[in-house]
Amino acid sequence: MDTKAEIAAGEAFIPTLPQVLDFALIGSASYLPNASDVDFAVLIDPAANAVDYAGKMVMDGWGNCGEYDGVGGIWAAVRRENLNLMVTHDPKFFADYKTAMEVCKALNLTHKQDRIAVCQIVRDGKKADEVLTHAKLYGSPLPPAAEPGVLAAA
């Protein structure tokens, strides 16, 4: 996949969609060199409903991107080839999504599960104990924490 070309195609296409107010490149393609797809957060008119909007896109040939867990009906994800659109009608959700992705970028998170965890914490307001990280799923590459009250060697 030519990531830069896919990003450019998404940036050219998204403004042609009806009711789009803003959009932002999110996901691994925004900072990792070997992304497998390109994700955009798309803010539509708050008078519209993101789930209904995405449903119409599915009827127009987009795939329903069910691997993403929508929150309270304020967003839905659709996919076509290498392009994923996370559509929302909620300006706060859109802003929080962009903030979450800035955290992922700052930490250079390479594991998708870790990026999802950051989004669930920053964007969705979940507690850290409520989300699955790569380390929780596959084991931590870090040494175990020191016992309480014991200094760890540097």
Side-chain angles (χ1 to χ4, degrees):
M1 177 182 86
D2 182 345
T3 305
K4 288 183 181 181
E6 295 286 341
I7 291 170
E11 290 174 337
F13 171 72
I14 294 169
T16 69
L17 293 171
Q19 299 179 298
V20 170
L21 301 180
D22 199 1
F23 65 93
L25 178 65
I26 57 172
S28 59
S30 66
Y31 66 93
L32 293 176
N34 297 319
S36 60
D37 57 13
V38 175
D39 302 328
F40 284 93
V42 178
L43 177 63
I44 61 171
D45 186 331
N49 178 284
V51 175
D52 294 341
Y53 189 95
K56 290 175 186 169
M57 293 182 78
V58 168
M59 295 192 60
D60 287 339
W62 287 76
N64 187 11
C65 199
E67 72 179 87
Y68 296 98
D69 180 23
V71 176
I74 62 171
W75 75 286
V78 293
R79 170 183 209 109
R80 181 181 282 166
E81 297 176 10
N82 295 322
L83 180 62
N84 298 321
L85 304 181
M86 302 350 166
V87 180
T88 185
H89 57 264
D90 185 312
K92 181 181 182 324
F93 179 88
F94 179 75
D96 289 348
Y97 210 148
K98 293 190 307 181
T99 300
M101 290 312 307
E102 285 299 314
V103 172
C104 293
K105 183 176 179 180
L107 298 174
N108 198 36
L109 296 180
T110 58
H111 297 293
K112 182 176 184 174
Q113 194 62 46
D114 292 338
R115 293 190 299 272
I116 291 170
V118 168
C119 286
Q120 289 175 334
I121 293 166
V122 175
R123 181 195 67 200
D124 304 341
K126 290 187 176 184
K127 302 281 186 207
D129 291 339
E130 298 173 335
V131 301
L132 288 175
T133 62
H134 183 80
K136 284 181 185 175
L137 289 172
Y138 304 105
S140 176
L142 302 174
E147 294 293 322
V150 177
L151 292 176

